[in-house]
Amino acid sequence: MSEPGATSRTRTATSAGTSEDLVCAFNEVRTELLSTLYFFLGNYEDAQDALQEAFLKCWRGLAGVPDVRNLRAWIFRVGLNAAKDLQRNAWRRRARPLLGAAALPEPNGVSPVKAAEEREAQERLRKALLDLRPEEKEVFLLRQNGCLTYEEIARLRRSPVGTVKTQMRAALSKLRQVLQEKRASE
């Protein structure tokens, strides 16, 4: 027969492992998630706020982590939900962003001209993403930045796989059109 305290020690050890797993998984996807949230929200500061809120929501949902099949997908889903909550905030909808892509840190070793070209290309892509319908934007970001399969996205969004694929095709078509129009005008 086991000691009464043995069960509580096991639960504590399991919870500690789960919290470590969550922190490690969150840190692994942090940069990609921040980038996704930036493209989703169109503002670096809002993306940072959503990232912080996503971590807090993940932490609060720590008890359910052992039941999560794909921790990466779950973190991205929580992050996008935090971004949507931020967008719904009436005060933020009226506020205008003070900083744009220039607020992003410069990669080391890149010439200023190359960095400016990359920022300009990212800004065009960001603007094109912001013009997508919300469901197209979400599917695109989960697939491209979240590296999720169509089946995982469908399960997260509670939609048929065919719908997810159609929304992805529509998003890609619209993004290609915007980027091709820009190249044609140059």
Side-chain angles (χ1 to χ4, degrees):
M1 191 160 223
S2 65
E3 299 175 35
T7 308
S8 63
R9 277 195 300 263
T10 305
R11 281 190 196 131
T12 305
T14 305
S15 332
T18 304
S19 65
E20 287 177 24
D21 292 344
L22 175 65
V23 170
C24 288
F26 199 91
N27 283 333
E28 285 176 15
V29 302
R30 184 184 186 286
T31 303
E32 291 174 80
L33 182 57
L34 181 61
S35 173
T36 300
L37 295 172
Y38 171 70
F39 281 113
F40 190 83
L41 294 167
N43 179 291
Y44 189 67
E45 288 76 22
D46 286 349
Q48 288 178 315
D49 289 348
L51 181 72
Q52 184 176 2
E53 185 61 29
F55 179 77
L56 292 173
K57 286 181 179 185
C58 288
W59 189 259
R60 288 181 203 123
L62 190 60
V65 169
D67 299 331
V68 174
R69 285 190 218 162
N70 184 336
L71 199 54
R72 178 186 176 88
W74 180 69
I75 290 170
F76 267 84
R77 180 81 234 155
V78 171
L80 284 173
N81 285 342
K84 287 177 184 178
D85 291 345
L86 200 62
Q87 280 183 326
R88 282 190 280 268
N89 183 327
W91 181 81
R92 287 192 182 268
R93 272 187 267 145
R94 283 182 271 148
R96 300 185 109 190
L98 296 175
L99 301 172
L104 293 174
E106 294 271 336
N108 292 337
V110 177
S111 74
V113 172
K114 184 71 174 164
E117 289 172 353
E118 288 177 13
R119 270 196 315 273
E120 185 179 309
Q122 282 184 341
E123 187 63 20
R124 277 196 315 267
L125 179 59
R126 185 188 68 78
K127 285 180 181 175
L129 277 169
L130 289 174
D131 288 339
L132 294 176
R133 291 188 352 233
E135 55 276 1
E136 293 169 348
K137 185 180 352 178
E138 184 176 348
V139 168
F140 177 82
L141 292 171
L142 285 171
R143 178 79 174 140
Q144 296 305 118
N145 290 15
C147 302
L148 303 181
T149 65
Y150 290 115
E151 290 76 17
E152 290 170 328
I153 295 169
R155 198 170 32 255
L156 283 172
R157 299 188 75 241
R158 294 181 180 97
S159 301
V161 175
T163 301
V164 169
K165 288 181 178 180
T166 299
Q167 290 168 338
M168 182 64 168
R169 274 193 304 275
L172 289 173
S173 174
K174 290 175 183 177
L175 292 174
R176 277 189 199 113
Q177 183 179 359
V178 167
L179 296 175
Q180 286 172 352
E181 287 172 0
K182 180 64 181 170
R183 283 189 197 133
S185 68
E186 290 177 345

